[in-house]
Amino acid sequence: MNDTQGKFITIEGSEGVGKSTNISFIKDYLEEKNIELLITREPGGTPLAEEIRELLLQKRSENIDETAELLMMFAARAQHLNTVILPAIDAGKWVLCDRFTDSTYAYQGGGRGLSWQLIERLEETVQQELQPDLTLYLDIDVKLGLARASKRAELDRFESEEIDFFERVRTAYLTRVKTDTKRYQVIDAGQDLQLVQADITHVLESFF
């Protein structure tokens, strides 16, 4: 990216890590620095991508084929990238995104057991060389995260998976983190919220 372009920050983590709360915290931090900010999410972020999100999250009697699920994720991502994320970055805005391709490696790769090589090929096709400038991975013990998530309203199709699924998701995330220790910053989301946000502040200050 050149100096006139914005930055791309993604927030990752499995169930119960407090993504929504901490995205709000990051939003306030960045806006205090007078940064023009776009907040978005995946899957979703455009009308079409939000419709795909509903298809993916809704519980149904028909089993969704794992490869079909993966392709829907990247279909939504292609629409989101080309109509929302890239235009915003090119216009000098910062983009803060709730989940991105790391979630695909974690959920469809780790959780579903799909080939990472297949995901890589789709990633290259859809994103080309684009990667986030910073990824905050909120990490938590799976049992603790699921206990927190269970206090919400009705669980969606992904949230209703068995604990082994989420253990694989976490393992995949931690594997991804080791591939780029500069881009990925791990936050212990099992701490008290005040400590979590102190750690996030430290990461953001270092990023600046």
Side-chain angles (χ1 to χ4, degrees):
M1 293 182 181
N2 61 44
D3 292 339
T4 64
Q5 289 182 310
K7 299 294 184 185
F8 184 26
I9 299 176
T10 57
I11 312 299
E12 295 285 352
S14 58
E15 276 54 41
V17 296
K19 283 190 293 89
S20 297
T21 299
N22 288 301
I23 285 170
S24 178
F25 175 79
I26 295 167
K27 170 182 177 291
D28 292 342
Y29 177 94
L30 294 176
E31 288 182 344
E32 284 178 3
K33 294 186 176 294
N34 297 315
I35 289 171
E36 190 174 4
L37 183 66
L38 170 69
I39 297 177
T40 189
R41 69 178 182 178
E42 287 216 343
T46 81
L48 173 60
E50 288 290 336
E51 289 185 33
I52 297 173
R53 178 187 180 90
E54 289 300 315
L55 292 174
L56 286 162
L57 299 188
Q58 184 180 12
K59 292 180 182 178
R60 61 187 69 243
S61 57
E62 176 188 9
N63 289 329
I64 297 181
D65 176 79
E66 290 88 349
T67 303
E69 180 180 280
L70 175 65
L71 293 172
M72 283 192 283
M73 287 289 184
F74 272 104
R77 182 163 297 132
Q79 183 72 8
H80 189 206
L81 266 178
N82 291 305
T83 64
V84 173
I85 294 176
L86 290 175
I89 293 172
D90 289 341
K93 296 179 182 179
W94 286 38
V95 176
L96 179 60
C97 191
D98 180 351
R99 299 195 183 283
F100 194 58
T101 307
D102 290 302
S103 282
T104 305
Y105 281 98
Y107 282 78
Q108 282 71 51
R112 302 290 187 218
L114 290 176
S115 163
W116 282 34
Q117 288 73 27
L118 172 59
I119 298 172
E120 285 172 359
R121 290 198 297 272
L122 292 168
E123 178 183 26
E124 290 170 1
T125 299
V126 171
Q127 296 170 221
Q128 299 182 40
E129 296 181 358
L130 176 73
Q131 292 293 335
D133 297 289
L134 173 67
T135 296
L136 288 165
Y137 167 54
L138 305 178
D139 183 49
I140 196 169
D141 174 80
V142 170
K143 290 182 180 178
L144 176 57
L146 292 177
R148 289 180 178 179
S150 67
K151 298 176 182 178
R152 301 179 195 156
E154 184 180 356
L155 301 179
D156 64 35
R157 191 173 66 87
F158 285 97
E159 293 168 338
S160 302
E161 291 287 348
E162 299 293 331
I163 189 169
D164 288 349
F165 175 87
F166 294 107
E167 293 285 4
R168 295 193 299 273
V169 166
R170 186 187 186 199
T171 297
Y173 268 130
L174 293 172
T175 299
R176 291 286 291 169
V177 164
K178 294 175 184 176
T179 66
D180 188 345
T181 55
K182 182 178 180 181
R183 171 163 78 89
Y184 295 101
Q185 296 296 319
V186 181
I187 305 294
D188 179 1
Q191 307 176 92
D192 290 341
L193 182 59
Q194 183 178 3
L195 295 175
V196 171
Q197 295 182 341
D199 286 349
I200 291 174
T201 299
H202 176 73
V203 167
L204 293 174
E205 287 174 349
S206 298
F207 183 66
F208 275 97

